[in-house]
Amino acid sequence: HFAQSVRTAISDYTKNTPNTHPIHAGGPDDWSLRTWATVLNSGGRQNSHIHPLGWISGVYYVQTPDDVCNTELNAGNLLFGTAPERFKQVNTLARHHTPEEGQLVLFPSWFWHQTMPFSAASERISIAFDVMPTNTLRML
């Protein structure tokens, strides 16, 4: 059921996203999902990264801690738009997203994203995935 729900969400996403960026215009006709799970304990985080072989990426939140320490600004959030410090970028437009259990978030694979550290007694469990064009060369 998970794979079909993701496929439906991706279909809706591509229908409702303007084709103003070349990666969305003429997306692949044939694709597959590459999936993995992430379990973060208190203090856990993922550094800023992209998914260079994907077309669309996403994350489904299986479990989110109810007890995230709210004294930390944006604790546990998914942060878009901030590249690693080594790129010395300026004027970035960062967007925070607060994850919720049972939520599916889709975004272009070329968006820089990271998870912010959090303090909680319970784990944050998610299933992440990339929509992989069957023939990557067609995307270039």
Side-chain angles (χ1 to χ4, degrees):
H1 298 317
F2 176 74
Q4 185 55 47
S5 296
V6 169
R7 287 184 179 281
T8 299
I10 291 166
S11 177
D12 292 345
Y13 175 81
T14 57
K15 287 178 189 170
N16 296 315
T17 301
N19 289 335
T20 55
H21 191 281
I23 204 157
H24 283 294
D29 295 326
D30 191 27
W31 50 268
S32 62
L33 290 177
R34 185 184 74 151
T35 61
W36 62 94
T38 303
V39 178
L40 293 177
N41 294 307
S42 187
R45 67 170 297 157
Q46 292 183 325
N47 292 326
S48 187
H49 62 283
I50 60 172
H51 298 238
L53 298 179
W55 173 49
I56 296 170
S57 293
V59 60
Y60 174 77
Y61 294 97
V62 176
Q63 175 180 304
T64 55
D66 291 330
D67 57 343
V68 170
C69 179
N70 291 327
T71 59
E72 301 172 39
L73 183 63
N74 301 310
N77 280 2
L78 178 60
L79 174 62
F80 293 102
T82 304
E85 289 183 28
R86 69 181 180 271
F87 288 105
K88 311 236 185 288
Q89 63 185 12
V90 294
N91 299 326
T92 60
L93 181 60
R95 302 238 184 222
H96 286 268
H97 176 78
T98 302
E100 296 177 20
E101 197 166 301
Q103 182 180 61
L104 176 72
V105 178
L106 298 173
F107 53 94
S109 297
W110 48 268
F111 272 14
W112 287 104
H113 59 285
Q114 63 184 316
T115 59
M116 303 303 291
F118 64 95
S119 297
S122 56
E123 301 169 323
R124 182 172 79 185
I125 303 171
S126 60
I127 300 171
F129 57 88
D130 287 335
V131 175
M132 303 292 293
T134 301
N135 184 347
T136 306
L137 293 177
R138 283 182 40 195
M139 292 298 295
L140 299 176

